Amino acid sequence: MYWEREFETLERNKLRSLQLERLKRTVKQAIQSPFYKELYQRKGISADRLRHVEAIRELPFTTKQDLREHFPYGFLSLPKRDIIRLHSSSGTTGNPTVIFHNRHDISSWANLMARSLYCAGVRDTDVFQNICGYGLFTGGLGFQYGIERLGCLSIPAGAGNSLRQIKLMQDYGTTAIHAIPSYLGRLYEVFQAEGLDPRKDTDLRLFVIGAEPHTEEQRQRIEDMFGVKAYNSFGLSEMNGPGVAFECTEQAGLHIWEDAFLIEIIDPETLEPVPDGEFGELVMTTLDREAMPLIRYRTRDITRIIPGVCACGRTHARLDRITGRSDDMFIVKGCNVFPMQIEGVLLKVPEVGSDYLITLERINGVDEMIVEVEVKKDWFNGDIARLDRLSKFITHQIRDEVLTKPIVRLVEPGSIPKSAGKAVRVLDKRVFDSVKL
Amino acid sequence: MYWEREFETLERNKLRSLQLERLKRTVKQAIQSPFYKELYQRKGISADRLRHVEAIRELPFTTKQDLREHFPYGFLSLPKRDIIRLHSSSGTTGNPTVIFHNRHDISSWANLMARSLYCAGVRDTDVFQNICGYGLFTGGLGFQYGIERLGCLSIPAGAGNSLRQIKLMQDYGTTAIHAIPSYLGRLYEVFQAEGLDPRKDTDLRLFVIGAEPHTEEQRQRIEDMFGVKAYNSFGLSEMNGPGVAFECTEQAGLHIWEDAFLIEIIDPETLEPVPDGEFGELVMTTLDREAMPLIRYRTRDITRIIPGVCACGRTHARLDRITGRSDDMFIVKGCNVFPMQIEGVLLKVPEVGSDYLITLERINGVDEMIVEVEVKKDWFNGDIARLDRLSKFITHQIRDEVLTKPIVRLVEPGSIPKSAGKAVRVLDKRVFDSVKL
Ligand SMILES: [Zn+2]
Ligand SMILES: [Zn+2]
């Protein structure tokens, strides 16, 4: 039933004690980093002051802006030679976000991933195909190490090439898959085009989907198309990547591993905790990371803790779906995109005017990012080839920056509607579960 | 000096004894697989018959054809549930080649990779950027696990996007890189275009290059351009991938790890061993692989054992550069390509005629695969857009099959010269060290 019964079913009061002990250790470790050392000395903060877990509220928040400003080593709590891996965000505009890991961190992450997968019903007899970009993107190596730790037969398939993905499934009898939900619709179309029915022509039984917002309806459609159970996964690169919170087979919220992460839900305006069970911004503290602890990190993800106890017996709290962001980041095809990144690319192209609009839309079952760009007047003189080259160039530049390919549309100056106040830069026409804050 | 002194400097006679012991264990293990069980029973072969290492000559060879014919599980020597990873060759034409690993094999491979890197002078204080495709391609995960085992700071950069690669190097002070040699010329051009000099504007000191044929001159050019030492690496997917043989800092041949691999050099025609120090086909037997031992595997790579002892103190034999193949496979941009794969793609395109020619050529410092294809006569009616679409389609199909993008040229029927006898399918215009056999 459990990967680590002793941790997963720990009584809440014992879990709280474990958290306190690990929080103290984490604060001590964090003070080794330049950022927290300066901050905590200035504010007179020490680990000894923490008598109970709630005392964390006296510590200051950490933001993505802090990470960027103290790039690259401001948060490093160990000597550089102890670090064995980094994952960093994409892009050449501004400072990226980087997370460092020592051997303990990589092992602890692999274990959390294995626990997560086991929790969703994956077993060592499964053949697990990881359809996901590898490299600096955390979904590749994150899942890979977890799948191997669990003992499945892992197929490091990587992203794309649906025909080849299907051949791998059929050749090796794949039973479980990790992929972003919007890809699975396209994959199903390729099955159909080949005259195949995944329900009959594969051994698929279980999907892990995540890294991209989707609705309960989409999940059910995926389950129906493929004849599988699909489980939601939640992670963010600042908290390693995948393996932060995972659905159990009850499919009633995502267990967030509280022995590894201390969670708070706050009002993003007042920064005060919201009442139990209400929606707010998720704030996280690492409890088992040595190279780069983060304390009270503002994830900007809006969610809530589902009240009550899970039928599976795990005592760790359950996150509800992410229903939005408290900043302007959006996720498309598994990639995190800030409008500022797109703007940074466009500013470097002299032919481009001052206005642009990003529209997120589901086209043929796939989420697409459409970037409308105003180009200078004299470009609309009928030279289609020249416009085509410019459009391809911008497409390529944006793709290099955010790692997903946009649909670029060049438009005449003045075609993008001006709004009265702050410019609207992103229109999200996709439909997700949404909750009023 | 050494990653594992006791193994790397083992006296030759003790190394031979270790090989014999491991060979016996390997034969016993191999007999658990359907392929070797049937073959060895039929031929009356058992591990007990092996009194000395040379007795391996009485065992039959294993070929790529055998792997393909007994795909996927014919060579599997353990229950499927013990396997934790597979790597398989690309392509949708015919059966791929697949290698399975259990936990021991993955760990043993990571250790050989760490030993190899250490042997080339990489240390745990290095920042190691792995510029290489991840996923099923063995260079990604193979190096990743080795770099982490050694304890470097690994940057899993993946392939492509030179600007981003340069940014990573500068952001994190990369000191060591793994890449295919033909990429490094392009990377240098991007440095220049950005007004940067890698000798001054980076901390690079050491490259590992491999997976693609190249000359000593190319190596020296790379060393000069970047101001680094560049070490040759040799591996093949059937023997895990990278980590089979590696240059030490003497740069005088590639130490092949004889505690993990038993090597023979044979005449590919007579199949008899060649005299010491002469060129022939490399035949390899795994000595430390549990999930899928391979015995007397014909690699088709032409090389030789360099006579004499290495100044570094390692007792393991040194391979010379690979000077050719005893079959028609070629390597371009790190991808293994069989002309049969290209033919398979073309046969499925009805517009294509009967003849084609593959030319390998260095264009602007990058190895390119040019595929000339005869299309049916009525296609040359002046509809350029139609030809362009067809050309793009074929390019895409070949890329999906062999994982590297060709330059496709559609030509009129009869333009490809017919040869008197066997059709010439591949023209390799690149210049490598070559040796007459
Ligand atoms: Zn549960
Ligand atoms: Zn040596």
Side-chain angles (χ1 to χ4, degrees):
Chain A
M1 264 301 277
Y2 307 104
W3 178 249
E4 295 168 294
R5 176 187 293 272
E6 68 280 21
F7 285 107
E8 292 172 60
T9 63
L10 200 61
E11 283 169 42
R12 289 295 305 176
N13 60 345
K14 288 185 184 160
L15 188 52
R16 275 323 234 187
S17 307
L18 179 67
Q19 285 188 317
L20 180 59
E21 176 199 317
R22 290 188 172 184
L23 176 60
K24 284 181 177 173
R25 200 176 65 191
T26 295
V27 169
K28 275 183 195 144
Q29 182 68 20
I31 293 176
Q32 306 301 312
S33 74
F35 175 82
Y36 285 113
K37 183 176 185 174
E38 193 278 328
L39 180 67
Y40 286 8
Q41 274 183 353
R42 182 153 47 84
K43 302 213 173 229
I45 293 167
S46 73
D48 312 328
R49 250 175 54 181
L50 299 162
R51 296 280 152 79
H52 46 84
V53 171
E54 286 69 24
I56 197 171
R57 288 181 200 154
E58 295 162 30
L59 307 187
F61 292 104
T62 305
T63 64
K64 200 180 194 75
Q65 193 58 26
D66 293 326
L67 295 181
R68 288 208 176 116
E69 281 171 9
H70 297 83
F71 176 85
Y73 301 120
F75 282 83
L76 191 57
S77 299
L78 288 175
K80 263 167 83 177
R81 74 176 294 159
D82 291 346
I83 309 308
I84 64 164
R85 197 197 298 167
L86 68 80
H87 282 282
S88 104
S89 61
S90 70
T92 49
T93 307
N95 284 341
T97 306
V98 60
I99 301 295
F100 296 103
H101 300 280
N102 72 351
R103 207 173 289 283
H104 165 86
D105 299 337
I106 292 291
S107 174
S108 161
W109 180 14
N111 183 59
L112 287 180
M113 267 308 306
R115 186 201 285 179
S116 298
L117 292 165
Y118 198 95
C119 164
V122 180
R123 293 295 178 269
D124 65 358
T125 46
D126 275 302
V127 178
F128 198 112
Q129 189 164 333
N130 191 23
I131 304 182
C132 168
Y134 278 67
L136 288 167
F137 180 62
T138 56
L141 292 175
F143 268 84
Q144 184 65 36
Y145 278 58
I147 302 164
E148 292 185 10
R149 178 72 69 99
L150 202 159
C152 302
L153 168 46
S154 65
I155 306 181
N161 198 340
S162 301
L163 274 180
R164 191 159 174 244
Q165 300 286 357
I166 293 172
K167 188 164 194 305
L168 287 169
M169 286 173 212
Q170 296 196 311
D171 280 346
Y172 306 114
T174 299
T175 57
I177 274 179
H178 164 234
I180 57 173
S182 70
Y183 175 71
L184 293 167
R186 211 169 74 203
L187 183 65
Y188 183 71
E189 284 170 16
V190 178
F191 266 106
Q192 286 185 308
E194 294 292 300
L196 296 171
D197 177 357
R199 305 181 72 110
K200 292 180 193 146
D201 301 316
T202 72
D203 297 326
L204 294 172
R205 69 173 195 89
L206 188 155
F207 284 5
V208 174
I209 55 179
E212 195 184 52
H214 61 282
T215 61
E216 186 57 31
E217 266 182 355
Q218 276 174 271
R219 185 234 290 266
Q220 278 167 13
R221 208 160 55 232
I222 289 169
E223 292 190 332
D224 290 344
M225 287 190 295
F226 289 91
V228 300
K229 281 282 178 191
Y231 296 96
N232 288 322
S233 141
F234 170 72
L236 64 164
S237 60
E238 295 88 339
M239 298 292 138
N240 302 339
V244 172
F246 240 78
E247 274 189 329
C248 67
T249 50
E250 301 291 324
Q251 292 186 319
L254 294 84
H255 288 287
I256 184 158
W257 304 121
E258 293 186 86
D259 54 334
F261 303 103
L262 184 63
I263 53 175
E264 302 166 78
I265 307 283
I266 64 163
D267 180 320
E269 301 297 327
T270 66
L271 306 181
E272 291 301 316
V274 300
D276 280 356
E278 295 199 4
F279 280 85
E281 181 183 324
L282 177 66
V283 169
M284 298 185 69
T285 298
T286 62
L287 293 178
D288 192 29
R289 208 158 69 181
E290 294 179 353
M292 193 169 158
L294 288 180
I295 296 169
R296 301 198 87 198
Y297 182 71
R298 292 190 59 183
T299 69
R300 305 292 177 177
D301 284 316
I302 304 297
T303 182
R304 65 169 188 141
I305 301 298
I306 296 175
V309 182
C310 188
C312 75
R314 289 179 184 83
T315 52
H316 296 237
R318 288 167 301 160
L319 283 191
D320 206 336
R321 278 157 181 283
I322 307 300
T323 60
R325 299 271 306 171
S326 69
D327 61 9
D328 59 1
M329 192 193 86
F330 58 88
I331 303 179
V332 62
K333 290 181 181 166
C335 296
N336 295 355
V337 181
F338 288 91
M340 198 195 69
Q341 289 179 283
I342 310 279
E343 192 164 321
V345 168
L346 297 178
L347 279 174
K348 287 187 202 150
V349 185
E351 297 85 352
V352 157
S354 58
D355 274 312
Y356 68 95
L357 178 66
I358 303 165
T359 307
L360 305 170
E361 208 171 338
R362 175 146 302 149
I363 301 175
N364 299 326
V366 179
D367 288 1
E368 298 287 356
M369 170 169 65
I370 300 153
V371 182
E372 286 172 278
V373 182
E374 290 188 1
V375 295
K376 291 178 179 157
K377 200 150 202 134
D378 62 333
W379 274 73
F380 282 92
N381 59 0
D383 188 343
I384 303 292
R386 196 169 70 140
L387 279 171
D388 192 46
R389 276 196 306 275
L390 179 61
S391 163
K392 278 193 182 129
F393 175 75
I394 295 174
T395 304
H396 190 82
Q397 294 295 104
I398 294 177
R399 199 215 123 93
D400 276 1
E401 178 65 30
V402 301
L403 300 189
T404 185
K405 195 175 168 181
I407 297 173
V408 169
R409 289 188 190 141
L410 303 182
V411 298
E412 291 194 61
S415 1
I416 294 171
K418 303 273 179 296
S419 45
K422 199 179 149 199
V424 176
R425 296 309 197 183
V426 184
L427 269 183
D428 198 341
K429 295 189 178 169
R430 305 173 294 182
V431 182
F432 306 117
D433 301 347
S434 69
V435 174
K436 285 269 171 293
L437 269 180
Chain B
M1 266 298 280
Y2 308 103
W3 179 248
E4 294 167 297
R5 176 189 292 273
E6 68 279 23
F7 285 108
E8 292 172 60
T9 63
L10 200 60
E11 283 169 41
R12 290 294 306 175
N13 60 344
K14 287 185 183 159
L15 188 52
R16 275 324 233 186
S17 307
L18 179 67
Q19 286 188 315
L20 180 60
E21 176 200 315
R22 290 188 170 184
L23 176 61
K24 285 181 176 174
R25 199 176 66 190
T26 296
V27 169
K28 275 183 194 144
Q29 182 69 19
I31 291 176
Q32 307 299 313
S33 75
F35 175 83
Y36 285 114
K37 183 175 185 175
E38 192 281 328
L39 180 68
Y40 285 8
Q41 273 183 352
R42 184 154 45 83
K43 302 217 172 225
I45 291 165
S46 74
D48 312 327
R49 252 178 50 182
L50 298 163
R51 296 280 152 80
H52 45 83
V53 171
E54 287 69 25
I56 197 172
R57 290 181 197 153
E58 293 161 32
L59 306 186
F61 292 104
T62 305
T63 64
K64 197 176 197 78
Q65 193 58 25
D66 293 327
L67 294 182
R68 288 207 175 115
E69 282 171 9
H70 297 82
F71 176 87
Y73 301 119
F75 282 82
L76 191 57
S77 299
L78 287 175
K80 263 166 82 176
R81 74 176 296 159
D82 291 345
I83 309 308
I84 65 164
R85 197 198 299 167
L86 67 79
H87 282 280
S88 106
S89 61
S90 71
T92 50
T93 308
N95 284 339
T97 307
V98 61
I99 302 294
F100 297 103
H101 301 280
N102 72 352
R103 208 173 288 283
H104 166 84
D105 299 336
I106 292 291
S107 174
S108 160
W109 180 14
N111 183 60
L112 287 180
M113 267 309 305
R115 186 201 286 180
S116 298
L117 292 166
Y118 198 93
C119 163
V122 181
R123 293 294 178 270
D124 65 359
T125 45
D126 274 303
V127 178
F128 198 111
Q129 189 163 333
N130 191 22
I131 305 182
C132 165
Y134 278 67
L136 289 167
F137 181 62
T138 56
L141 292 175
F143 268 83
Q144 184 65 37
Y145 278 57
I147 301 165
E148 291 185 11
R149 178 71 68 98
L150 201 160
C152 302
L153 167 46
S154 65
I155 306 180
N161 197 340
S162 301
L163 274 182
R164 192 158 173 245
Q165 300 286 357
I166 292 172
K167 189 166 193 309
L168 288 169
M169 285 172 214
Q170 296 196 312
D171 280 347
Y172 307 113
T174 300
T175 58
I177 274 178
H178 164 232
I180 57 172
S182 70
Y183 174 71
L184 293 167
R186 212 170 71 203
L187 183 65
Y188 183 71
E189 283 169 18
V190 178
F191 265 105
Q192 286 185 307
E194 295 292 301
L196 296 171
D197 176 357
R199 305 180 72 113
K200 292 181 193 145
D201 301 316
T202 72
D203 297 326
L204 294 172
R205 69 173 195 90
L206 188 156
F207 284 6
V208 173
I209 55 179
E212 194 184 54
H214 61 282
T215 61
E216 186 57 31
E217 264 181 357
Q218 277 176 271
R219 184 235 290 263
Q220 279 168 12
R221 209 161 50 232
I222 289 169
E223 292 190 332
D224 290 343
M225 286 189 297
F226 290 91
V228 301
K229 281 282 177 189
Y231 296 96
N232 288 320
S233 141
F234 170 73
L236 64 164
S237 60
E238 297 89 337
M239 298 291 137
N240 303 340
V244 172
F246 240 78
E247 273 187 330
C248 67
T249 49
E250 301 290 325
Q251 293 187 318
L254 294 85
H255 288 286
I256 183 158
W257 304 119
E258 293 187 85
D259 54 335
F261 303 103
L262 185 62
I263 53 174
E264 303 167 77
I265 307 284
I266 65 163
D267 180 320
E269 300 297 327
T270 66
L271 306 182
E272 291 300 316
V274 299
D276 281 358
E278 295 201 3
F279 280 86
E281 181 183 324
L282 176 66
V283 170
M284 297 184 68
T285 298
T286 62
L287 293 178
D288 193 28
R289 207 157 70 182
E290 294 179 353
M292 192 167 161
L294 289 180
I295 296 169
R296 302 200 86 199
Y297 182 72
R298 291 191 60 184
T299 69
R300 305 292 178 176
D301 283 317
I302 304 297
T303 182
R304 66 171 187 142
I305 301 297
I306 295 174
V309 183
C310 188
C312 75
R314 289 179 182 82
T315 52
H316 297 236
R318 288 167 301 159
L319 283 190
D320 206 336
R321 279 158 179 282
I322 307 300
T323 59
R325 299 271 307 172
S326 69
D327 62 9
D328 58 2
M329 191 193 88
F330 57 89
I331 303 179
V332 63
K333 290 180 182 167
C335 296
N336 296 353
V337 181
F338 288 92
M340 200 194 69
Q341 289 179 282
I342 309 280
E343 191 163 324
V345 168
L346 296 177
L347 279 172
K348 285 185 202 150
V349 184
E351 297 84 351
V352 156
S354 58
D355 275 311
Y356 68 94
L357 178 67
I358 303 164
T359 307
L360 305 169
E361 211 171 334
R362 176 147 303 150
I363 301 177
N364 299 328
V366 179
D367 289 1
E368 298 287 358
M369 170 169 65
I370 299 151
V371 183
E372 287 172 277
V373 183
E374 290 189 2
V375 295
K376 289 176 181 159
K377 199 147 203 134
D378 61 334
W379 273 70
F380 282 91
N381 58 1
D383 188 342
I384 303 292
R386 195 169 71 142
L387 278 171
D388 192 48
R389 278 196 305 277
L390 179 61
S391 164
K392 279 194 181 129
F393 175 76
I394 294 173
T395 304
H396 190 83
Q397 294 294 103
I398 293 177
R399 201 215 122 92
D400 275 1
E401 178 66 29
V402 302
L403 300 188
T404 185
K405 195 174 170 184
I407 297 171
V408 169
R409 290 190 189 139
L410 303 182
V411 297
E412 292 196 59
S415 359
I416 293 172
K418 302 276 179 296
S419 45
K422 198 179 151 202
V424 176
R425 295 309 196 184
V426 184
L427 269 183
D428 197 340
K429 294 187 179 171
R430 303 172 296 183
V431 181
F432 306 117
D433 302 346
S434 68
V435 175
K436 285 270 171 292
L437 269 179

